[in-house]
Amino acid sequence: PPRPMNPNALLLVLLLSVAAPASGIAALARPALGGHKVAASRRRLEQQPVSLAVAFDGGVLAAITPAALGRDAASASVCAGAAWMWVAFWSKLAADGRIQPNLSRKIIHTGSAPLFMLCWPLFSPAPSAPILAGAVPLLQIIRLYRAGRAQPAQPTPVAAAEADDTADLVKAISRSGSRSEALGGPFLYTLVLLVATVLGWRSPAAAVAICQMAVGDGVADIVGRRYGSVKWPFSPSKSVAGSAAFVASAFSASLGLVSLFHAFGFTALTAAAAAPAVLLISLLSAAVELLPAELADDNVSVPAAAWALSAWLLSAG
């Protein structure tokens, strides 16, 4: 009999099906603008955030300037370097035994994606921005893939240094220390961030979905391990305190990013207007996080549910 599709793959398909229309991917079917409309395209770029689909619009493509490309390339380089240092810092602390690997793993989980989104205003309003910004999570995906597939190092100084870096990374992001875990939750987390960057560039829906996955789930685990004595009867591995922390932290972080995007003119949606919907999304995302891990990885199920809800409830963005 045919092998059933992996539930994580199904949820990724759902995430893409929600994100692609929201990003304007249907604009690919539109005819390219003529050269005489380049000025109008530039004005449109200044008025609203662009999606990956718009990058294929001939007039907008012509509006990309060397200055915009340079700014986006520089911003992507800064973000990639900062991401590497963020992960390396916590990886080193875990490798040296100064913090528990479980804590380093969740700190990296909680901070990586939202901190990257905080840097989105550094990029230009040109269509090159989401493409070059997407290189940042893409590099992390490659790094995780190499860590998960790493072979014993050759006896050379460079290879030994790379092996040490990989070992520190694996220890910081995995539960058991197994290299294969790098291709599980961390890989899916970064893949979802890539989708949010390319298809949800500077949108409230992407910001809310990522905050539910990163901040909500991460803080829930940290708080639940310390204060989670009261468990949910239908989900014995999850605690009431953890779920409460999920809602509070995801709600706060989501509104923070919505406020940032509004302040920079990426969305007309204000934090005050979004608050009721974001609270409902946070509550429902916390409920999704309680589902058994055997059904689907929460690095996919939580953002997929949150993005679908955001696309419905945050239409003003």
Side-chain angles (χ1 to χ4, degrees), residues 216-217 219-247 286-287 289-290:
D217 181 61
V219 173
D221 186 271
I222 293 171
V223 172
R225 287 178 183 274
R226 188 175 181 88
Y227 303 107
S229 57
V230 180
K231 306 293 185 181
W232 291 104
F234 51 84
S235 184
S237 64
K238 305 294 176 68
S239 67
V240 174
S243 296
F246 183 115
V247 174
E289 195 262 345
L290 294 175

Side-chain angles (χ1 to χ4, degrees), residues 33 44 103 128 133 171-172 175 180 186 191 203 241 249 270 277 289:
L33 292 174
R44 180 152 56 96
L103 180 58
S128 55
K171 185 173 182 179
R175 292 180 173 88
S180 62
L191 184 60
S203 73
S249 60
T270 64
E289 195 262 345

Side-chain angles (χ1 to χ4, degrees), residues 103-119:
L103 180 58
S104 72
R105 180 172 59 85
K106 281 303 176 180
I107 290 175
I108 292 172
H109 179 104
T110 302
S112 296
L115 288 173
F116 175 52
M117 284 185 148
L118 284 175
C119 296

Side-chain angles (χ1 to χ4, degrees), residues 25-230:
I25 203 73
L28 284 171
R30 293 200 311 257
L33 292 174
H36 63 285
K37 295 187 178 179
V38 169
S41 298
R42 283 200 180 100
R43 288 195 298 272
R44 180 152 56 96
L45 285 175
E46 294 172 356
Q47 294 170 356
Q48 63 182 29
V50 297
S51 68
L52 178 63
V54 178
F56 293 92
D57 185 311
V60 177
L61 190 62
I64 300 176
T65 64
L69 282 173
R71 174 179 169 181
D72 293 334
S75 298
S77 299
V78 169
C79 290
W84 183 87
M85 288 189 291
W86 167 260
V87 175
F89 174 75
W90 296 108
S91 299
K92 183 64 175 173
L93 290 182
D96 292 344
R98 298 172 67 179
I99 63 173
Q100 292 295 319
N102 277 332
L103 180 58
S104 72
R105 180 172 59 85
K106 281 303 176 180
I107 290 175
I108 292 172
H109 179 104
T110 302
S112 296
L115 288 173
F116 175 52
M117 284 185 148
L118 284 175
C119 296
W120 283 7
L122 295 176
F123 292 83
S124 78
S128 55
I131 299 171
L132 291 175
V136 178
L138 180 60
L139 288 173
Q140 292 299 317
I141 287 172
I142 294 171
R143 188 183 181 197
L144 288 167
Y145 181 81
R146 293 183 62 188
R149 299 292 188 183
Q151 301 297 322
Q154 299 297 321
T156 65
V158 174
E162 291 180 353
D164 289 343
D165 179 67
T166 298
D168 289 349
L169 174 64
V170 169
K171 185 173 182 179
I173 65 174
S174 66
R175 292 180 173 88
S176 64
S178 171
R179 293 183 184 277
S180 62
E181 287 192 41
L183 299 177
F187 189 88
L188 291 171
Y189 173 104
T190 315
L191 184 60
V192 169
L193 180 58
L194 176 61
V195 171
T197 302
V198 175
L199 297 181
W201 182 243
R202 292 172 172 170
S203 73
V208 171
I210 291 299
C211 284
Q212 305 301 313
M213 174 189 73
V215 181
D217 181 61
V219 173
D221 186 271
I222 293 171
V223 172
R225 287 178 183 274
R226 188 175 181 88
Y227 303 107
S229 57
V230 180

